Amino acid sequence: MRQLKAKWLEMTTPQATKTAVLVIGGAEDKVHGREILRTFVARSGANDAHITIIPSASREPGIIGGRYIRIFEEMGASKVELLDIRDREQCEDPNFKESLANCTGVFLTGGDQLRLCGVLSDTSVMEIIRQRVRSGELTLAGTSAGAAVMGHHMIAGGGSGESPNRSLVDMATGLGLIPEVIVDQHFHNRNRMVRLVSAIASHPDRIGIGIDEDTCAMFEKDGWMQVFGKGSVTVVDPTEVTHTNEPNVGATEPLTIHNMRMHILSHGDRYHLYQRTALPANYRISN
Amino acid sequence: MRQLKAKWLEMTTPQATKTAVLVIGGAEDKVHGREILRTFVARSGANDAHITIIPSASREPGIIGGRYIRIFEEMGASKVELLDIRDREQCEDPNFKESLANCTGVFLTGGDQLRLCGVLSDTSVMEIIRQRVRSGELTLAGTSAGAAVMGHHMIAGGGSGESPNRSLVDMATGLGLIPEVIVDQHFHNRNRMVRLVSAIASHPDRIGIGIDEDTCAMFEKDGWMQVFGKGSVTVVDPTEVTHTNEPNVGATEPLTIHNMRMHILSHGDRYHLYQRTALPANYRISN
């Protein structure tokens, strides 16, 4: 409890410029309150923010990138750049590397997560992002495909409407920015519980994080994740699983998984990635 | 463990004529191996079975009833009757009551669960079924709508494709044959996880049982439930829930539920309704 209290106090302290990783379930509000994108700009330094947009997941990088440029500029960021990286060679470009070495926030747009990883994985540009996120110099946000790439294991595609089974979900290697998690996005909106559960059955050393549209799971450096936005974040935690038939069944046979833990979190709720505990939004320590 | 062993030995003892309640997720195989329907006939007494079909959920009771008559006769049941009950008055018919007082198996077809409950709830016919199921004289099976009615609380309808919320699921009162559970059927086939979770958030004293098509959750009198068939049975157990915002949020606001336990069970797996423990299909006690 003492530890929880210390963490809580840390969370409630204003930390507008402390970096974070914002994992967004796609279709975030770009018109009205724009709470998620506004929080990203705030955590990137508010009026001092230097934001670099990477639209490489998209087939229309100019259009989608241009929209985010206007939004972040309207929100008062001091500098907004679009790095229109379309192939791996560009990831060695000194100008791009310099932009990423100096910016305070990186935004990964939606599109196709396989395309995004194909361009960025194991490149100089990616190494700069990874190191600066790890050292707490850089706030990172990814939406939709840009969210899917956050884990080491990545859901590349999949189905729904059938019993959980291994063939239901296509796995690939992500960018590993939060290696402990497997992210799914547009989560309840596209009925993706079954593919996340199927993914976790094959990777029981990870935690499944399913993020609804216009909803953000914001990861702090101390291990706390906080939910905000319109929908919910679903956590599928296999730590206590006592049995699965996953290693022994064919790809289309139904999976068995006993003793998963599941949390449905909504606005203000917190979850600790290492303690594996959830705290409600209104959690207060009174003494 | 001693208790588990005793239970296990009981389960492995042949018990072809011991009664059970078979809760079927709909679309059970009626053509090939017909494992689920065959098990129902076996547990109703095999060649001594006297089966009564209640097609009241259906808008085409004669057609659907006729199909099950042929199947159960082909399987060797000694007597098969169709009780074409269309209104509550018929539930007092002495001939119907006599059939239900003497049969060894009752089969509830699919259709509309509200229609089925509207006809049967709190009638003489229903009271005979309830008492004979409770005393272990009668094997009962219900498929689809006939499965949905098993709990005290019943899912009457609902949606998918959005964050869990109270308005996502329409609840009504079921027939209460297994009052501890809330059943959902065509479960993963129709992406119903989110509506079952929403239902359980409002009824945390129950256990959610989501049954896939051509899959059966067979409840024994001692509290064990065994899964068989093609798909999976999902158990959502809120016993350990530490927090939910359910009492405090509007009907369309996203629900928060911390620390649910979830089991995905498939063919041969068992779950104990009171101990709330799952056992794998190949579970053996070696000493």
Side-chain angles (χ1 to χ4, degrees):
Chain A
M1 212 58 173
R2 185 171 296 279
Q3 194 175 9
L4 283 183
K5 184 173 177 182
K7 295 290 182 194
W8 172 258
L9 289 172
E10 193 178 329
M11 289 293 300
T12 53
T13 308
Q15 31 186 235
T17 58
K18 195 176 155 187
T19 62
V21 178
L22 287 79
V23 192
I24 308 165
E28 72 283 356
D29 172 16
K30 298 177 189 68
V31 179
H32 301 290
R34 305 191 290 198
E35 182 190 12
I36 295 173
L37 298 177
R38 202 172 288 281
T39 302
F40 166 65
V41 172
R43 294 299 290 264
S44 300
N47 291 335
D48 296 326
H50 169 185
I51 290 172
T52 298
I53 299 161
I54 300 181
S56 309
S58 175
R59 282 173 184 268
E60 294 179 320
I63 295 171
I64 199 165
R67 188 159 188 204
Y68 282 112
I69 288 177
R70 284 190 297 279
I71 290 171
F72 297 143
E73 284 179 348
E74 276 174 33
M75 289 179 179
S78 69
K79 186 174 181 182
V80 184
E81 291 181 287
L82 181 66
L83 299 201
D84 190 358
I85 306 175
R86 301 195 184 197
D87 58 50
R88 295 178 62 81
E89 274 176 32
Q90 289 175 284
C91 292
E92 308 303 323
D93 184 317
N95 293 327
F96 287 0
K97 293 196 315 199
E98 193 187 332
S99 170
L100 290 166
N102 293 319
C103 67
T104 60
V106 165
F107 192 88
L108 307 173
T109 72
D112 176 352
Q113 52 262 50
L114 284 173
R115 184 180 154 84
L116 181 58
C117 289
V119 172
L120 287 190
S121 290
D122 303 321
T123 62
S124 297
V125 148
M126 194 57 225
E127 199 46 37
I128 295 168
I129 296 173
R130 186 193 317 278
Q131 285 187 5
R132 295 193 68 219
V133 167
R134 191 176 297 160
S135 64
E137 297 167 57
L138 188 63
T139 284
L140 174 69
T143 186
S144 191
V149 300
M150 292 292 180
H152 171 71
H153 298 290
M154 177 176 83
I155 294 178
S160 68
E162 48 188 278
S163 310
N165 68 86
R166 286 195 281 120
S167 75
L168 194 69
V169 58
D170 302 321
M171 299 301 296
T173 301
L175 297 178
L177 293 151
I178 312 174
E180 298 86 351
V181 302
I182 296 178
V183 172
D184 210 349
Q185 9 76 40
H186 303 279
F187 188 65
H188 284 297
N189 315 81
R190 297 188 187 171
N191 294 308
R192 287 177 166 175
M193 180 77 91
V194 67
R195 81 179 202 183
L196 183 61
V197 165
S198 301
I200 284 297
S202 301
H203 300 287
D205 56 337
R206 311 289 156 160
I207 295 184
I209 307 280
I211 310 172
D212 293 349
E213 294 179 357
D214 197 13
T215 308
C216 180
M218 183 166 67
F219 290 83
E220 308 289 344
K221 274 188 68 63
D222 60 10
W224 281 106
M225 176 267 277
Q226 182 168 357
V227 176
F228 62 104
K230 191 178 158 201
S232 59
V233 171
T234 302
V235 176
V236 177
D237 174 5
T239 308
E240 299 164 313
V241 163
T242 50
H243 172 73
T244 175
N245 65 0
E246 195 275 340
N248 306 317
V249 291
T252 59
E253 286 179 75
L255 284 168
T256 288
I257 321 162
H258 298 182
N259 283 299
M260 267 178 295
R261 201 170 276 280
M262 182 165 58
H263 310 279
I264 311 278
L265 309 176
S266 61
H267 195 95
D269 285 353
R270 292 169 172 78
Y271 181 76
H272 199 285
L273 202 53
Y274 310 121
Q275 297 172 7
R276 310 215 167 176
T277 48
L279 285 186
N282 56 356
Y283 187 75
R284 292 284 183 281
I285 295 171
S286 54
N287 66 332
Chain B
M1 211 56 175
R2 184 170 297 278
Q3 194 174 8
L4 281 183
K5 185 172 178 182
K7 295 289 182 194
W8 172 258
L9 290 173
E10 193 178 328
M11 288 294 300
T12 53
T13 307
Q15 32 187 233
T17 57
K18 194 176 155 188
T19 63
V21 179
L22 286 79
V23 192
I24 308 166
E28 72 282 356
D29 172 16
K30 297 178 190 66
V31 180
H32 301 292
R34 306 191 288 197
E35 182 191 13
I36 295 172
L37 298 177
R38 201 172 288 281
T39 301
F40 166 65
V41 172
R43 293 299 288 265
S44 301
N47 291 334
D48 296 325
H50 169 184
I51 290 171
T52 298
I53 300 162
I54 300 180
S56 310
S58 175
R59 283 173 182 269
E60 294 179 320
I63 295 172
I64 199 165
R67 187 159 189 203
Y68 283 112
I69 289 177
R70 285 190 295 280
I71 290 171
F72 297 144
E73 284 180 348
E74 277 173 33
M75 288 178 179
S78 69
K79 186 172 180 183
V80 184
E81 290 181 288
L82 182 66
L83 299 201
D84 190 359
I85 306 174
R86 301 194 183 196
D87 57 49
R88 294 177 63 82
E89 275 176 31
Q90 289 176 284
C91 292
E92 308 302 324
D93 184 318
N95 293 326
F96 287 0
K97 293 194 319 196
E98 192 187 332
S99 171
L100 288 166
N102 294 318
C103 67
T104 61
V106 166
F107 191 87
L108 306 174
T109 72
D112 177 350
Q113 52 262 49
L114 283 174
R115 186 179 152 85
L116 181 59
C117 289
V119 172
L120 288 190
S121 289
D122 303 320
T123 62
S124 296
V125 147
M126 193 58 224
E127 199 44 38
I128 295 168
I129 296 174
R130 187 194 317 279
Q131 285 186 6
R132 295 193 67 219
V133 167
R134 192 176 296 159
S135 64
E137 297 167 57
L138 188 63
T139 285
L140 173 69
T143 185
S144 192
V149 299
M150 292 292 180
H152 171 72
H153 298 291
M154 177 176 83
I155 295 178
S160 68
E162 48 188 278
S163 310
N165 68 86
R166 285 195 282 120
S167 75
L168 193 70
V169 59
D170 302 321
M171 299 302 295
T173 300
L175 297 179
L177 294 151
I178 312 174
E180 298 86 352
V181 302
I182 296 177
V183 171
D184 210 349
Q185 9 75 39
H186 303 279
F187 188 65
H188 285 298
N189 314 82
R190 297 188 188 171
N191 294 309
R192 288 177 165 175
M193 180 77 91
V194 68
R195 81 179 201 182
L196 183 60
V197 165
S198 301
I200 284 296
S202 301
H203 300 287
D205 56 338
R206 312 288 155 159
I207 295 185
I209 306 281
I211 309 172
D212 292 348
E213 293 180 357
D214 198 13
T215 308
C216 180
M218 183 165 68
F219 290 83
E220 309 288 345
K221 275 187 69 63
D222 60 9
W224 280 107
M225 176 267 278
Q226 181 168 356
V227 176
F228 63 103
K230 192 178 158 201
S232 59
V233 170
T234 302
V235 177
V236 177
D237 173 5
T239 310
E240 299 164 314
V241 162
T242 50
H243 172 71
T244 175
N245 65 359
E246 194 276 340
N248 307 316
V249 292
T252 60
E253 285 179 75
L255 285 167
T256 289
I257 321 162
H258 297 181
N259 284 298
M260 267 177 296
R261 201 170 277 281
M262 181 166 60
H263 310 278
I264 311 278
L265 310 176
S266 62
H267 195 96
D269 284 354
R270 290 171 173 77
Y271 181 76
H272 199 285
L273 202 53
Y274 310 120
Q275 297 172 8
R276 308 214 167 177
T277 49
L279 285 185
N282 55 358
Y283 186 77
R284 292 285 183 281
I285 295 171
S286 53
N287 66 330

